[in-house]
Amino acid sequence: MKRFAALVLALSLLDPLLPPFLPLSWGNVEAVSWEPEPWPGLDAERTEEPASLAPQMVPGLVAQRIHNTNTNIDARFLTVSGSKELNDSTLKLIWEAVSLQEEASGVNYMPQAHARGAGLNDRGCQEGETTRSQKEIRTADGTSVVCDIVFARGAILGQRLRVLQIVDGSVTKDHAVTLYTDTEENKNYLASEIWQESAYSYVWDSLLEVLKRDEGALSLSLTTGTPDVEVLQNVLENTVIGEDNELIVTFAAGTKTPELASLGIEEIDDSVSISLPESSVANLLTDFGHTLLDTAANDVPLGLANFTWPGNAYVDCKLLPCLAMTYDDGPSQLTPGILDAYAEYEGSATFFVLGSLVESHSDVLLRAHEEGHVIANHSWSHEDLTSLKPERVASEINQTNTAVFDVIGVVPNSFRPPYGAVNEKVLEIAKMPAILWDVDTNDWQKPAEGELINRVVDDAKVGSIVLQHDIHQNTANTVWEVLEILRGRGFTLVNVEQLFGGEVPQSGLYRRAD
Ligand code: NI
C-alpha cells in the first residue's frame, strides 16, 4: 500500500494535470481495491485569513490606550468591566510588553499623561491592526501593542493582541496572541486552550497536507509529521472561529521547519490559513472549545455578562495614568448632570457629601452609588472640625456616616474635612483617612467657564486629586468638556478607592497618590 501511494504521489508530481483520483483499475497494482483510509486532514481546506471585526463597543467593554514616551511604549487594548481576574491575561500581556520595553530602553515605566490635544480619547482596537505589516504598525524604536476583535458573540469577547518591538531599527519581537474572555464564566482563555493536546498532530498534518496540495501534489498519500511544537503553539494561540463555525488557524509568513523543507518549502511566503470543520475536530476540543463553538452557533450579538460601572471595575493605576476627580458639598440638583457626564466618559468620581443634604437628595446619592462612584464623608454641617469639641467632631462624622449608610447601605470609608482643616485629633476621632487634594480649582470663585476648565485640565497630573464642588453651576456646565480634555490627555478617571489600588488607606492624610 505504501508503495502504491508513493507511486501515485510520484506520478502526480510529474504530471499535475492527472485527475485528482486515479481510476482504481489503473495498471496492474495489487492494491486495486485500496481505498484511502479516512484521515481527518482531508477535511482541512486552505482559506482566507479571517478579517477582524469592526470595533464595537458594548456596555462593559472598556477601550484602553497607553502612550508612553519615556519608556517608549504604545498600547491599545480592551478590558471588560468587572473583576481583576477577568482581565488578568490581557493585563499580564501588556505588562510583559512593558517589562520588555523597560529592558530595551533602560527606563522604568511610569504612567504618563500628555499635554492637551494629545488625542488620546481614541482608544481600544482599530480594525485590521493586528494583521498589518510591521512597517504599518511601527517604524521607530520602541514597543507597540495593537488589538483586534476576532470574536464578539454572546458573553464572549475574543481579542487578538500583537506586540511589536523594534530596537536599534530591528524587529526584536513580533508576537500575536488571541485571548477569549468568557464574562459569564468569569474566565480568560488563550486561544490555544480551545484545543486538546491531541489536536497538535492533526493541525500540523493538515498544514503539511494543504501545502502539499498547493504544490500540486495529490493527496492519496497523506502526510503525517511530527509537530513543531513551538511553531504550532503560536499558531493555536490565534485560533479563530469562521463564519460557518469552522476553526481557522493561520501560519505566519516566514514559517519554516525542517519538515516543510523536506516538502520542498524553504519557508512560507505568505501566511497560510487553514479551515478545519467543526465536525472533524469535535473530539479534539476542550470544554471551552465546545463552549466557544456553541456560542458562535447561537449567533447572539455580544452582550457582556455582569456589567459593572467603571467605578466598580478593577483599574491598574500603576499601568494607566489615573486621576481622581472629587466633588464636595453636595449632593445637589446639579449632581445628576455630572453623573451623566461620567457615564458618557466611562469614568468614576468621588463625592464628599454633607450629611445634612443626604436625606433630601437620597435619589441622586443612591444613583451615584449604583453607578460606581464613591460616596465619602464631608461632615454634617461643614464646620471647621479643628475648632470643635471632640464630641461635636465625632457627631459631625458619625451622623453623616449613618445618613449615607441609610441610603446606600455602605458606610463611607474616607472623609474630607471642610476647608481641608484637619489635625491629629480630628483624624483620631474620624477613624478614617482624610483625603485632601493637590489641584484646587477654586470653582466657588465662579471664574469664567473657560478659565475654570483650564484650572482643572492644565494642573492635573498622574495621581492627582482634583477638588471641585457639585453645587456650582459652572462646574456642572463644564464637566463634559473637562472630561473630554482629560481623557484626551490620556487620563483614566477613577474614584479615590481605585486611585489607591482598590481601597483607601486605613488612616492618615493624603493630597494625591504617589
Ligand atoms: Ni466643602
Side-chain angles (χ1 to χ4, degrees):
M1 193 162 82
K2 249 186 184 167
R3 229 177 24 176
F4 171 79
L7 180 59
V8 171
L9 178 61
L11 282 170
S12 69
L13 286 169
L14 286 172
D15 183 1
L17 298 177
L18 271 177
F21 292 99
L22 291 170
L24 291 176
S25 61
W26 180 81
N28 188 22
V29 181
E30 55 182 56
V32 280
S33 62
W34 181 82
E35 283 177 24
E37 286 175 40
W39 185 78
L42 276 176
D43 296 332
E45 273 178 18
R46 186 149 184 182
T47 186
E48 295 285 304
E49 186 160 9
S52 57
L53 306 176
Q56 48 183 300
M57 297 308 292
V58 297
L61 198 52
V62 189
Q64 308 282 11
R65 173 100 180 257
I66 289 169
H67 176 54
N68 195 290
T69 56
N70 297 325
T71 308
N72 223 354
I73 180 164
D74 290 290
R76 288 171 172 272
F77 55 104
L78 298 170
T79 53
V80 295
S81 74
S83 68
K84 180 174 185 289
E85 291 69 30
L86 208 47
N87 294 298
D88 260 358
S89 306
T90 306
L91 293 178
K92 183 164 166 263
L93 188 139
I94 303 297
W95 271 115
E96 281 169 5
V98 167
S99 304
L100 190 74
Q101 185 53 33
E102 280 183 319
E103 272 173 45
S105 65
V107 179
N108 283 338
Y109 180 85
M110 297 276 281
Q112 182 186 13
H114 299 266
R116 277 166 89 157
L120 296 168
N121 262 313
D122 172 19
R123 302 178 181 194
C125 303
Q126 294 173 303
E127 189 176 358
E129 185 83 341
T130 62
T131 47
R132 286 189 191 144
S133 69
Q134 291 175 339
K135 283 199 171 65
E136 287 173 300
I137 295 173
R138 180 165 205 111
T139 48
D141 277 10
T143 296
S144 289
V145 183
V146 292
C147 66
D148 262 323
I149 297 178
V150 299
F151 190 91
R153 281 282 178 273
I156 302 181
L157 171 75
Q159 172 180 207
R160 186 188 298 127
L161 291 152
R162 179 171 165 194
V163 180
L164 176 66
Q165 186 190 42
I166 297 179
V167 178
D168 296 332
S170 302
V171 173
T172 46
K173 185 182 175 86
D174 186 0
H175 185 74
V177 63
T178 299
L179 301 171
Y180 290 92
T181 304
D182 185 335
T183 59
E184 211 157 71
E185 296 293 321
N186 216 37
K187 277 185 182 163
N188 290 294
Y189 298 90
L190 276 173
S192 52
E193 292 177 82
I194 293 170
W195 301 98
Q196 295 179 19
E197 247 176 63
S198 55
Y200 278 44
S201 304
Y202 173 74
V203 176
W204 186 249
D205 292 348
S206 297
L207 168 73
L208 298 179
E209 188 61 26
V210 164
L211 290 176
K212 205 172 73 176
R213 281 186 235 171
D214 270 9
E215 296 295 304
L218 284 183
S219 295
L220 290 183
S221 153
L222 297 168
T223 313
T224 52
T226 309
D228 183 324
V229 173
E230 200 180 325
V231 170
L232 204 49
Q233 192 71 43
N234 289 343
V235 167
L236 296 185
E237 275 176 6
N238 288 291
T239 308
V240 296
I241 310 298
E243 278 178 18
D244 298 319
N245 234 20
E246 73 278 23
L247 291 100
I248 301 177
V249 293
T250 301
F251 292 78
T255 297
K256 52 179 167 185
T257 72
E259 210 157 33
L260 290 177
S262 74
L263 284 176
I265 300 164
E266 213 43 61
E267 68 172 52
I268 300 176
D269 294 338
D270 291 313
S271 64
V272 175
S273 294
I274 304 173
S275 89
L276 307 158
E278 181 182 6
S279 55
S280 51
V281 296
N283 59 347
L284 302 174
L285 301 177
T286 59
D287 287 348
F288 172 66
H290 288 289
T291 301
L292 192 62
L293 284 176
D294 291 347
T295 307
N298 280 341
D299 207 25
V300 175
L302 180 67
L304 303 180
N306 310 315
F307 166 76
T308 47
W309 286 88
N312 293 328
Y314 171 76
V315 177
D316 187 346
C317 288
K318 289 187 161 49
L319 182 65
L320 301 166
C322 290
L323 172 71
M325 297 291 293
T326 65
Y327 298 89
D328 288 10
D329 298 0
S332 81
Q333 75 284 359
L334 297 176
T335 312
I338 291 172
L339 296 179
D340 290 345
Y342 278 88
E344 173 73 18
Y345 284 98
E346 295 178 328
S348 179
T350 305
F351 293 87
F352 290 93
V353 301
L354 290 177
S356 55
L357 296 175
V358 163
E359 200 183 335
S360 54
H361 295 85
S362 57
D363 285 359
V364 63
L365 194 78
L366 189 59
R367 178 185 161 194
H369 168 69
E370 286 176 347
E371 294 183 4
H373 303 290
V374 164
I375 311 299
N377 189 321
H378 194 42
S379 84
W380 185 267
S381 53
H382 212 273
E383 301 278 338
D384 176 346
L385 299 179
T386 60
S387 70
L388 302 181
K389 291 195 170 118
E391 312 81 67
R392 208 27 228 299
V393 173
S395 75
E396 284 280 328
I397 297 292
N398 297 337
Q399 264 190 287
T400 301
N401 275 352
T402 303
V404 170
F405 176 81
D406 285 348
V407 176
I408 69 170
V410 178
V411 180
N413 58 12
S414 66
F415 83 116
R416 173 171 288 164
Y419 316 104
V422 66
N423 56 25
E424 280 302 323
K425 197 157 210 137
V426 169
L427 276 175
E428 202 176 292
I429 296 168
K431 297 188 183 70
M432 290 189 286
I435 307 292
L436 302 188
W437 57 87
D438 67 331
V439 177
D440 189 347
T441 63
N442 289 308
D443 52 351
W444 52 271
Q445 295 170 339
K446 305 200 189 313
E449 289 183 3
E451 166 63 16
L452 179 58
I453 290 168
N454 291 348
R455 289 182 189 178
V456 184
V457 304
D458 291 342
D459 292 344
K461 298 174 188 65
V462 175
S464 280
I465 301 172
V466 180
L467 168 61
Q468 295 220 278
H469 298 82
D470 53 333
I471 55 167
H472 296 306
Q473 190 66 53
N474 54 359
T475 294
N477 289 351
T478 52
V479 63
W480 294 78
E481 194 169 345
V482 161
L483 299 190
E484 169 80 20
I485 297 171
L486 288 175
R487 275 177 57 89
R489 290 189 57 197
F491 285 113
T492 297
L493 305 164
V494 297
N495 58 49
V496 292
E497 292 181 6
Q498 293 168 318
L499 186 71
F500 287 99
E503 53 187 51
V504 288
Q506 297 285 310
S507 59
L509 187 155
Y510 303 86
R511 297 180 194 280
R512 50 171 284 112
D514 288 303

